[in-house]
Amino acid sequence: MQRASLSSRSVQYVFLVFVAAAWYFLTESGNISRLFLPKPGDVIDALTRLFQTASFWSAVLVTLTTALKGFVIALVLGVLAGYLVTRSKLAIATIEPLISGLFTIPITLFFPMFILFFGVGTGSKVAYGATYAFFPIALNTIAAFSNMEKRYLLAAQSMGGSRWDIFRYVLMPGALPVLFTGLRIGFFICLASVLGGETISSVAGIGRNIALAAELMEPARMFAWILFVVCMSVTLNLLAYSFENKIRSR
């Protein structure tokens, strides 16, 4: 197990080194305009300058707060809806394919409606992110509870366990690994949705600053923001994935 983990880590690090090296040599060759792909050094300098400004941390706070609000809404509604669906085999057969089908629809098409109802501020991004994140959370909740071993439920019932006892001591512990996977996917879908919404139409946030840098023809600054988002997303995903593995190993 440790050898497999070490091998996967090695592949990941080699991939990162390859991307960094390709970026460096492409910009140094002079075949690509700096307007489209700035040098890594210029991007790092721009990122360093961003770190020293209050507006940078304000934008980061706006985006993360917006994403967190949307995720909490999606978590509550997704888990609740998924759990209620699994209380009936007919509901699973009817509603689960419907949720899966709706998830395939590009919700970006309806983003103007979110702006129409919630405005150009953070409200539309919260609603947009919550809507997109709802689907993977609900689907994973359905999968987690519907695939529970029936013998465990029967054993708990035969020992006189109440509905709350069965939910707390049987359903939740058994469903948690699959459920947490849905929460992890849902959070990053929510974050990506918020960033996308801010890029299209917003007055604040990381996405707005990326779009503004592009409009002002500042590629180094734009790539600095993008690099920060990539590093932030990878770090958060690794932390969530590590926590998920600890849950699975219990």
Side-chain angles (χ1 to χ4, degrees):
M1 187 69 178
Q2 292 181 349
R3 184 175 299 177
S5 177
L6 181 61
S7 177
S8 63
R9 292 293 183 192
S10 300
V11 172
Q12 294 169 1
Y13 291 140
V14 169
F15 174 75
L16 292 176
V17 171
F18 173 79
V19 170
W23 183 7
Y24 174 79
F25 285 112
L26 282 173
T27 54
E28 289 295 328
S29 66
N31 295 324
I32 298 181
S33 172
R34 293 187 183 182
L35 186 63
F36 298 104
L37 186 64
K39 291 185 176 182
D42 296 338
V43 174
I44 298 299
D45 290 341
L47 184 59
T48 302
R49 290 192 296 270
L50 283 175
F51 282 154
Q52 299 171 355
T53 63
S55 59
F56 172 82
W57 299 108
S58 176
V60 172
L61 181 61
V62 168
T63 297
L64 291 180
T65 302
T66 304
L68 186 60
K69 289 179 180 178
F71 174 70
V72 170
I73 295 173
L75 186 154
V76 174
L77 296 180
V79 172
L80 179 61
Y83 175 73
L84 293 177
V85 167
T86 58
R87 297 305 88 198
S88 166
K89 291 184 178 180
L90 177 61
I92 294 175
T94 305
I95 300 178
E96 194 274 340
L98 180 62
I99 296 176
S100 299
L102 290 174
F103 189 34
T104 62
I105 300 175
I107 301 181
T108 307
L109 297 174
F110 303 98
F111 184 68
M113 296 180 62
F114 287 93
I115 297 177
L116 180 64
F117 287 113
F118 300 100
V120 297
T122 59
S124 58
K125 285 70 183 180
V126 170
Y128 181 54
T131 303
Y132 237 135
F134 167 83
F135 294 100
I137 293 176
L139 289 172
N140 275 269
T141 302
I142 294 173
F145 287 120
S146 63
N147 293 325
M148 187 68 59
E149 288 283 350
K150 299 299 181 183
R151 54 181 178 175
Y152 297 136
L153 300 177
L154 293 175
Q157 291 172 354
S158 65
M159 289 186 288
S162 63
R163 288 188 176 183
W164 170 247
D165 291 333
I166 294 174
F167 177 80
R168 180 180 179 183
Y169 297 109
V170 180
L171 285 175
M172 280 305 297
L176 198 56
V178 178
L179 184 60
F180 192 83
T181 299
L183 297 182
R184 178 170 59 86
I185 296 172
F187 173 76
F188 288 103
I189 286 180
C190 183
L191 179 60
S193 301
V194 169
L195 287 168
E198 289 177 345
T199 303
I200 296 172
S201 175
S202 183
V203 294
I206 295 176
R208 173 55 185 161
N209 281 273
I210 292 175
L212 183 62
E215 292 171 3
L216 297 176
M217 304 296 285
E218 297 178 346
R221 187 181 180 89
M222 183 185 71
F223 272 83
W225 279 105
I226 295 174
L227 179 62
F228 173 77
V229 171
V230 170
C231 292
M232 178 183 67
S233 299
V234 170
T235 301
L236 292 176
N237 187 60
L238 289 176
L239 291 174
Y241 189 72
S242 176
F243 184 68
E244 182 180 340
N245 284 338
K246 289 182 180 180
I247 292 178
R248 290 181 179 274
S249 62
R250 290 181 178 180

